[in-house]
Amino acid sequence: MDALNWLDDVLADLDRRLLRRHLAVREGAQRGDEIVLGGQRLVNFGSNDYLGLAACDELREAAVGAVTSRGWGSGASPLVSGRGELHAQLERELAQWENAEAALLFSSGYAANVGTIAALVAKDDAVFSDELNHASIIDGCRLSDAQVHVYRHRDTTHLKSLLGSTARVRRKLIVSDTLFSMGGDLAPLEALNALAREHEAMLMVDEAHATGVFGRQGRGVCEHLGAEDGVHVRVGTLSKALGASGGFVVGSQTLIDWLSNRARTYVYSTAMPEASAAAALAALAIVRTQPQRRREVLKLAADLREQLRASGLEVGPSDSQIVPVILGDPERTMRAAAELRRRGFLVPGIRPPSVPAGQALLRISVTWLHTSEQIDDLARALVETIRNLP
C-alpha cells in the first residue's frame, strides 16, 4: 500500500472545485510590466515589483559586483559566521531610513513575521490578529502557542471588545498588515495605536506591500498616516517594491537584541547571500532619491480604479497599487483570468484559501513600469471580459 495514495483524492477534489494551483515557469527576467510564460508574451499585472527595480541595471550591477568580490553563499547562520559587512551595512541603512534605532535582516518577509511573533508572545500571552492578515502572520500566531484572537477586518470596535474581555495574560500583542495584499486597503493605524496604548499592548505591523511605495520617504503606511511613533515592531520586505530578496524588522535596539537571540527563523537559518544585501542597498538608494516612482505608480492605480468603478466593477476599498476586481465565484474568476490571458494580460485569479470563501477575485498589481496606455487597455479588456462571463 502506498502511504501517499490519499494525495490523489485530495488533489482531484481541488481540481473539481477549481482550487488547484499549477506551477508556472517564467522565461527571462522578472519585469513589472511584461512577462513571458509558456512562450506567450503578456502584459504583467501579476508582479509585486511595484517600483520596477527587480531587473534594473543598478540592482543587477550591485549584485554582480558583490558576487565577484564576496562569492555567493553565506555558509552559516548570522550568529555563527554568515553575517557579512554588507548585511551589517544594510541593517544600519534600513534603521536610518526607517528612523529606528536598529534593524535585523531575515531570509524572507515570511521568516521575519513568523520568527518575530513567536519571539514576542508565548503560552501565557495573547495575540490579536486581523482576519485578513497574511499567512505568515497567521502562522506566526499559531506557532507562538499564545491565545489567538482574530478580529473582523479593520474592525477596531471588535478588537477593543476582544482586548477588554480577554482574561488576564502576561503580554498582549496586536498585529496587522498595513496594506492588505489582496484587497489593497489600508489598516486603521491611528485607532490601532490608541488601542495598544489603552490596553498596554505591543503593536506590530507588516509593511510588506507598502515599503517603498507609501510615505514621503517611502517608509510605508505608518509614515503615510503619521503613525510611526505608536508602533513598536515594524516588519518590511526587500522582495517587493525594493526588487531584491529578504525581510527585515526595525525597532528599538532592545527589540533587535532580543530577536537576534530568540527569533528561531533568524537563529537557525543561513544568512542571505551578501549579493542580495548589495542589491537591496542599491534599491534603497533609488527609493530615497527617486520619489516620483511611488507617486506615479499610485497615480496609475488610481486611474485604473476610477475607470473600473465607472464601469460598474467592484474593486472594494482599495486605495493602493493593488486593485482587486471582486467576482466571488472561483469558476468565474478563473474563466476571467484565462480570457484576459488570451487577450495578452497576466491578471492572477485568487481563490480560497488565499481569500475567504465567496471572495474570489482578480488581483491587479500596478507597477511604475506600466504605461497609461496599458492601464487603459487593461480596463477595457476587464470590462468586456466580465460582461461576457456566463
Side-chain angles (χ1 to χ4, degrees), residues 142-350:
R142 290 170 175 169
L143 291 170
S144 72
D145 203 28
Q147 300 175 30
V148 179
H149 303 272
V150 178
Y151 61 92
R152 292 186 292 270
H153 181 49
R154 301 182 74 250
D155 187 340
T156 54
T157 300
H158 186 211
L159 172 59
K160 180 181 178 69
S161 174
L162 290 173
L163 285 163
S165 62
T166 300
R168 182 177 296 276
V169 292
R170 184 180 53 172
R171 290 191 288 265
K172 294 180 179 181
L173 172 67
I174 301 168
V175 59
S176 177
D177 283 315
T178 62
L179 169 51
F180 292 91
S181 61
M182 293 296 119
D185 50 338
L186 309 183
L189 291 181
E190 301 98 325
L192 295 182
N193 281 349
L195 286 173
R197 288 193 300 271
E198 179 183 348
H199 292 272
E200 298 183 336
M202 299 174 286
L203 177 57
M204 170 180 165
V205 300
D206 181 8
E207 294 266 32
H209 291 270
T211 298
V213 179
F214 277 82
R216 286 179 59 86
Q217 305 300 321
R219 296 199 293 261
V221 176
C222 287
E223 182 191 17
H224 174 65
L225 296 178
E228 290 175 298
D229 289 345
V231 177
H232 306 100
V233 187
R234 277 182 280 153
V235 178
T237 184
L238 306 169
S239 61
K240 295 181 171 62
L242 272 66
S245 65
F248 63 90
V249 176
V250 295
S252 68
Q253 184 65 60
T254 303
L255 169 70
I256 299 308
D257 289 345
W258 175 250
L259 294 180
S260 65
N261 278 271
R262 286 294 184 269
R264 294 174 66 84
T265 54
Y266 178 82
V267 174
Y268 299 107
S269 290
T270 297
M272 69 167 70
E274 277 195 274
S276 293
L281 283 164
L284 193 54
I286 294 172
V287 169
R288 285 169 148 171
T289 58
Q290 298 183 31
Q292 74 275 11
R293 291 190 183 230
R294 50 184 168 271
R295 291 196 298 264
E296 290 167 7
V297 70
L298 292 174
K299 175 63 166 58
L300 285 171
D303 291 345
L304 177 60
R305 285 196 305 273
E306 182 179 350
Q307 292 186 56
L308 298 181
R309 283 174 175 151
S311 299
L313 300 188
E314 184 182 353
V315 298
S318 169
D319 194 25
S320 70
Q321 75 280 10
I322 300 168
V323 182
V325 177
I326 303 166
L327 298 177
D329 178 66
E331 183 174 357
R332 294 184 78 240
T333 299
M334 299 315 295
R335 284 179 179 171
E339 174 59 18
L340 288 167
R341 184 161 179 168
R342 188 190 68 79
R343 290 171 173 250
F345 300 96
L346 176 64
V347 180
I350 308 297

Side-chain angles (χ1 to χ4, degrees), residues 24-53:
V25 178
R26 185 189 72 245
E27 301 162 38
Q30 165 67 58
R31 285 181 54 88
D33 58 344
E34 65 177 25
I35 191 169
V36 179
L37 291 175
Q40 182 184 12
R41 188 172 298 277
L42 302 162
V43 181
N44 186 7
F45 285 100
S47 169
N48 295 326
D49 181 24
Y50 302 126
L51 299 182
L53 300 181

Side-chain angles (χ1 to χ4, degrees), residues 310-388:
S311 299
L313 300 188
E314 184 182 353
V315 298
S318 169
D319 194 25
S320 70
Q321 75 280 10
I322 300 168
V323 182
V325 177
I326 303 166
L327 298 177
D329 178 66
E331 183 174 357
R332 294 184 78 240
T333 299
M334 299 315 295
R335 284 179 179 171
E339 174 59 18
L340 288 167
R341 184 161 179 168
R342 188 190 68 79
R343 290 171 173 250
F345 300 96
L346 176 64
V347 180
I350 308 297
R351 302 153 286 171
S354 299
V355 292
Q359 296 183 30
L361 54 87
L362 298 169
R363 182 187 185 273
I364 304 165
S365 294
V366 179
T367 79
W368 181 76
L369 293 174
H370 289 124
T371 65
S372 296
E373 291 75 18
Q374 288 172 329
I375 294 294
D376 294 344
D377 290 344
L378 174 65
R380 284 192 294 270
L382 275 164
V383 172
E384 293 171 6
T385 294
I386 293 172
R387 283 179 178 170
N388 291 326

